Amino acid sequence: MLCRSNAGAIDAVLRFQRAGRHPHLVGGGEEVVRFAKAVSELQETGSTRHPELACFTSWAEVLAYVEQDPQGDELALMVKLIEEYGLQIILDALDGMIAENAADVIVSTAHKAKGREWPRVRLAGDFAEPLDRGAGADGELRLLYVSATRAREVLDLRMCEPLAERLRLAG
């Protein structure tokens, strides 16, 4: 499964684990572990040196900020993930990650999948539909292209509405 964001990839790993599967996260989850530990530090002490959280003095401030943030960026996705699963579940899931050759499903972000291929690839639902034609939209389209071309035999788009819709319109 290929996801657009780190938060989407962690969400996929946790969902697969809940379903009794044995996922491997390409590249590991060190960034997410650092973020989760920083959240814990912020909650306990009111401060952290993590660059995404350093300007906040409480978890409540973070929650209020992402509630008002119209961008829906990676910070909002990470906060949602922590609120949904909890810090310890995320840390346990990433700490107990199995090796890729022992996994029954591979999860990756699109960025970490560059240069790799698999027989079957499912694109996750966290890819954004480029709404404008600016540089950001071109980047999103390139990321969709890179992701879609990782499949050698089967590309599953059921969860990836932006690409599925483009193919229907082109069709």
Side-chain angles (χ1 to χ4, degrees):
M1 174 169 275
L2 295 184
C3 305
R4 185 193 182 289
S5 66
N6 285 329
I10 299 301
D11 184 51
V13 164
L14 293 168
R15 289 181 190 279
F16 282 126
Q17 286 178 341
R18 278 187 178 171
R21 304 284 303 271
H22 304 286
H24 172 79
L25 180 61
V26 172
E30 295 83 23
E31 293 171 37
V32 176
V33 168
R34 278 194 298 277
F35 185 86
K37 287 180 178 179
V39 168
S40 179
E41 181 181 31
L42 178 64
Q43 290 173 338
E44 291 173 14
T45 69
S47 68
T48 182
R49 296 173 87 168
H50 191 282
E52 291 181 84
L53 300 172
C55 63
F56 299 103
T57 59
S58 72
W59 184 243
E61 260 185 50
V62 176
L63 294 175
Y65 175 79
V66 298
E67 180 88 16
Q68 299 166 11
D69 181 11
Q71 299 291 325
D73 65 357
E74 185 78 10
L75 178 61
L77 294 171
M78 291 299 298
V79 168
K80 180 181 177 211
L81 191 67
I82 287 171
E83 286 292 294
E84 182 176 343
Y85 291 101
L87 288 172
Q88 198 57 53
I89 288 173
I90 293 169
L91 290 170
D92 290 347
L94 296 174
D95 190 40
M97 191 63 50
I98 63 173
E100 185 170 347
N101 62 356
D104 62 3
V105 63
I106 308 297
V107 178
S108 178
T109 62
H111 293 287
K112 290 178 183 162
K114 289 178 182 174
R116 297 186 68 171
E117 291 182 325
W118 294 274
R120 301 176 57 86
V121 171
R122 174 180 289 173
L123 298 186
D126 67 341
F127 287 89
E129 173 60 48
L131 298 176
D132 61 19
R133 296 303 311 160
D138 290 345
E140 289 298 320
L141 288 173
R142 278 193 294 280
L143 194 58
L144 273 170
Y145 172 80
V146 165
S147 301
T149 57
R150 301 306 91 201
R152 286 192 303 256
E153 298 167 18
V154 176
L155 178 62
D156 182 343
L157 300 176
R158 288 178 284 173
M159 296 172 66
C160 185
E161 190 55 35
L163 189 53
E165 181 62 24
R166 285 185 178 275
L167 292 173
R168 279 193 290 273
L169 292 174

